[in-house]
Amino acid sequence: ETDLQGSGVAQKEVLQEIDTLTVAFVPSKEPAEIVTATEPLKEMLKAELLKEGFEVENVDITVGTSYEAVGEALSAGTADVGLIPGSTYVLFDDDAEVILTAIRAGLNKDSDNPKDWNDGLPTLLNDSDAVSYRSLIIAGPSKKGQELAAKINAGKELTWEDLNSANWTVMSTTSPAGYIYPSLWLQDRYEKGLTDLESAVQSDSYASAMARLASGQVDVVLVYADARLDYEDEWMKDFARTKPIWEETNVIGVTSPIYNDTISVSNFSENMQIPGFKQAVENAFINIGNLPDGKEVIKIYSHDGYQVADPEDYDEERKAQELIKNLSK
């Protein structure tokens, strides 16, 4: 009897008690919707952290008023964990550490070479796990669009003059796929930016950008890699084209990978100073991402699971931030 009690006491010593773990989400959806969808995460985190030897009394889930507000909470140590995009992590990487990268469904094409995307077949989601996505520079059915595509599909390089002779549409300057990464792509190849193009109009949505491409108002659009899949039906129905989008559009440029959202932890919160706790949080989120119930919860952010992150994965994002700084000067 006494031995059993003794072992119970020994077990208690291994467990470290933590009063409150604070997890902050960015407001990429309606805050109330996020709070409701992530409610089950509280018990899941408690259960997983208990397996790691940490008994957490409360899990407090908050939604920041802005992306920056979550970064600032990590900086101040008022949030322990933040689910934030790569761009927010990079802005606050002196004060926060990236531990995990979100996994999403991959695509059946992921080549750096634009010609490889132009086989006339759909770009489809597949069962592979992807930790990043691409932005594509796509030429449409206009005469100029076809001319640029023919050059790429013949294995030739496009010159700055080729690109500058086309009409482009871009998204707002904060859009990673619709502006920032294509700007980096131009910078790397031609030492030019989107602002150097003679003809570039801003679209308020990807739908209006694709409509402009279909009508021939513009020759080139900047979109995320599976955008054509999203607008496949509209292309012929609403935009009144006679051939499928896969036959009428061609990729003429592929940006470097845009890394998925992160789970980052504060360098300054008291909980994160506890030896072994950061590793426990990492393991807990990986395990939750592998559970059917866990996948259901993280689906609100289109996450399918998590894998260990490398801060260097976000170096392109650091270049992108520099670019934004220079653009806003």
Side-chain angles (χ1 to χ4, degrees):
E1 181 99 14
T2 46
D3 281 355
L4 280 175
Q5 281 179 333
S7 66
V9 170
Q11 178 62 36
K12 270 286 188 322
E13 284 164 8
V14 177
L15 281 181
Q16 178 131 14
E17 291 185 8
I18 287 176
D19 181 38
T20 303
L21 172 70
T22 307
V23 181
F25 285 81
V26 292
S28 60
K29 296 253 166 61
E30 196 52 50
E33 199 185 324
I34 296 171
V35 170
T36 307
T38 55
E39 181 64 33
L41 190 61
K42 295 177 181 178
E43 291 308 317
M44 289 180 196
L45 276 170
K46 285 184 194 176
E48 289 299 330
L49 288 166
L50 195 57
K51 291 180 196 167
E52 300 283 330
F54 293 91
E55 189 167 7
V56 178
E57 188 67 30
N58 301 297
V59 175
D60 183 18
I61 290 180
T62 64
V63 181
T65 50
S66 66
Y67 288 39
E68 285 70 27
V70 177
E72 280 155 14
L74 292 171
S75 295
T78 52
D80 300 306
V81 181
L83 279 85
I84 55 178
S87 52
T88 310
Y89 154 65
V90 166
L91 281 175
F92 291 94
D93 67 357
D94 288 342
D95 305 330
E97 180 185 341
V98 62
I99 58 170
L100 298 169
T101 296
I103 296 166
R104 289 182 167 163
L107 295 172
N108 63 350
K109 296 188 177 93
D110 187 41
S111 171
D112 287 317
N113 183 354
K115 188 181 170 190
D116 295 341
W117 297 71
N118 300 336
D119 53 10
L121 299 173
T123 301
L124 299 171
L125 295 170
N126 62 16
D127 295 334
S128 69
D129 291 337
V131 291
S132 62
Y133 63 100
R134 307 277 195 159
S135 164
L136 300 178
I137 294 117
I138 290 180
S142 67
K143 188 163 176 277
K144 176 58 73 174
Q146 295 293 305
E147 183 189 304
L148 298 179
K151 213 167 164 183
I152 285 292
N153 293 337
K156 294 178 182 155
E157 294 279 320
L158 293 174
T159 64
W160 168 250
E161 287 66 32
D162 289 332
L163 296 176
N164 198 27
S165 64
N167 294 319
W168 292 52
T169 184
V170 302
M171 302 307 285
S172 82
T173 53
T174 54
S175 165
Y179 198 96
I180 298 165
Y181 278 73
S183 290
L184 282 177
W185 180 86
L186 282 176
Q187 200 72 50
D188 289 346
R189 279 161 188 73
Y190 307 97
E191 294 185 355
K192 302 277 188 189
L194 290 171
T195 45
D196 294 312
L197 289 164
E198 268 172 45
S199 171
V201 291
Q202 191 177 318
S203 288
D204 60 354
S205 68
Y206 284 115
S208 61
M210 292 307 254
R212 281 176 159 155
L213 192 71
S215 71
Q217 270 183 47
V218 299
D219 310 305
V220 178
V221 295
L222 312 174
V223 289
Y224 54 97
D226 45 337
R228 289 186 295 174
L229 193 58
D230 288 348
Y231 292 99
E232 184 176 30
D233 293 345
E234 282 94 328
W235 190 257
M236 292 177 79
K237 277 195 204 130
D238 305 346
F239 306 157
R241 299 298 308 176
T242 52
K243 289 189 189 148
I245 194 168
W246 310 104
E247 287 179 36
E248 291 208 301
T249 63
N250 285 271
V251 177
I252 60 170
V254 183
T255 72
S256 39
I258 305 168
Y259 267 77
N260 289 350
D261 293 348
T262 77
I263 294 183
S264 297
V265 296
S266 172
N267 288 341
F268 301 114
S269 82
E270 283 177 27
N271 287 339
M272 286 302 158
Q273 309 303 316
I274 299 167
F277 188 57
K278 184 168 62 184
Q279 186 61 54
V281 168
E282 193 174 293
N283 295 347
F285 272 103
I286 289 175
N287 292 341
I288 288 167
N290 286 330
L291 298 168
D293 292 357
K295 283 190 191 297
E296 199 51 43
V297 170
I298 61 178
K299 201 167 74 177
I300 183 139
Y301 279 107
S302 309
H303 297 174
D304 196 38
Y306 300 100
Q307 73 173 42
V308 177
D310 178 347
E312 287 181 8
D313 292 340
Y314 294 91
D315 282 350
E316 281 297 316
E317 193 57 57
R318 290 181 177 89
K319 276 167 55 181
Q321 294 292 341
E322 278 304 305
L323 185 77
I324 296 166
K325 266 194 223 143
N326 294 333
L327 286 177
S328 57
K329 274 179 188 165

